[in-house]
Amino acid sequence: MSDIEPSRQSSGWLTGVREAMPLLGGYIPVAVSFGLISTQAGFSTAETLAISALIYAGASQFLFVGMIASGSPLWLTVAMTLLINVRHVVYAPNIAPWLPQSRWWPWLMHGLTDQVFALAHSRLPQLPASRRVGWFFGAAMLAWLSWIAGSLLGAVAGEWLTSRWPLLGEVMPFALPALFLVLIVPRFTSRRWAAALVVTIAIALLCTLTGLTNIGIPLAAACGALCFYMIRLPETAGPTRGGRP
């Protein structure tokens, strides 16, 4: 039995690495963009890597370097960075039921990004408890290291890459929206999720068109969450997780 358990844990993190690999198609281009923008804003390569390793939040990092470069007060920069990341208060409770007891979770939660959350929310319930810590470690570590590596590439060679391949500069900004689109499309199989997503997208688009870009993301997210929890629509036919409706 003692020989089987380490084998299960090992296969767990290898499975996590393998299943997180498709995320790299969105992570690396956006990280390269951040590395390039960060150095253009006056940050050194070491500072860029520290931001990616410690803050590790795509939208917040772009906001952070932009506000610092424009001379915004430090307290306001920190407050806005935390405001964008407040969505993690919702993420953690949604995957908590699938997390077995382990002293490693407080450290591993640094790797809970939007994409890792979406993947974990779907995969953790399908895995035996003995493999969940390993799976999450593999998936989160691959995503984190790829983000840091992409930031390094952008900081060191971003300008050379975009000057040599101008189309790359046009494609990179779309990588993150495309990645989010891939993650949410499977949720449209549920009427309840579809209603919440449509409300969220509509409000975000309306805020963008009316110039309310700063409040658009938190307002759209709040309205989408309210729609999900307040409006009860019948789900599509099919098996349910754990026998729950």
Side-chain angles (χ1 to χ4, degrees):
M1 224 25 188
S2 59
D3 294 334
I4 296 175
E5 192 63 25
S7 175
R8 287 181 177 178
Q9 292 177 358
S10 175
S11 63
W13 76 262
L14 286 173
T15 302
V17 168
R18 185 174 64 252
E19 294 183 352
M21 281 184 179
L23 300 180
L24 304 189
Y27 268 62
I28 293 177
V30 179
V32 171
S33 297
F34 170 74
L36 175 59
I37 290 172
S38 179
T39 53
Q40 289 177 341
F43 290 86
S44 67
T45 299
E47 289 169 337
T48 299
L49 291 180
I51 293 170
S52 284
L54 300 177
I55 297 180
Y56 186 40
S60 297
Q61 291 182 212
F62 284 97
L63 176 71
F64 180 84
V65 299
M67 293 186 71
I68 291 294
S70 64
S72 299
L74 181 60
W75 69 267
L76 181 60
T77 303
V78 173
M80 291 300 298
T81 302
L82 292 175
L83 178 62
I84 291 180
N85 286 328
V86 77
R87 65 190 185 279
H88 288 269
V89 176
V90 179
Y91 287 172
N94 273 277
I95 64 171
W98 314 116
L99 306 183
Q101 291 295 323
S102 174
R103 58 193 172 128
W104 295 108
W105 287 121
W107 302 99
L108 291 176
M109 284 302 103
H110 181 63
L112 185 63
T113 62
D114 303 322
Q115 296 78 19
V116 172
F117 165 76
L119 193 58
H121 194 268
S122 299
R123 287 293 289 130
L124 287 180
Q126 302 171 6
L127 296 170
S130 61
R131 296 179 62 188
R132 291 175 187 171
V133 176
W135 182 94
F136 192 93
F137 173 80
M141 186 61 67
L142 178 67
W144 185 55
L145 292 178
S146 69
W147 181 261
I148 295 173
S151 299
L152 176 62
L153 179 61
V156 173
E159 291 188 1
W160 178 81
L161 289 171
T162 53
S163 63
R164 185 172 179 82
W165 294 288
L167 183 61
L168 189 63
E170 302 293 328
V171 172
M172 285 193 298
F174 184 67
L176 190 60
L179 181 57
F180 276 109
L181 184 62
V182 169
L183 292 173
I184 67 172
V185 163
R187 290 295 183 181
F188 279 97
T189 57
S190 161
R191 295 177 184 175
R192 189 179 176 197
W193 272 102
L197 291 171
V198 167
V199 168
T200 302
I201 294 169
I203 292 177
L205 181 60
L206 180 62
C207 290
T208 301
L209 294 176
T210 55
L212 302 174
T213 52
N214 290 334
I215 198 175
I217 292 176
L219 180 61
C223 291
L226 284 174
C227 175
F228 182 81
Y229 285 107
M230 294 180 65
I231 299 178
R232 300 289 180 175
L233 292 175
E235 302 289 347
T236 55
T240 58
R241 182 182 300 164
R244 294 180 297 179

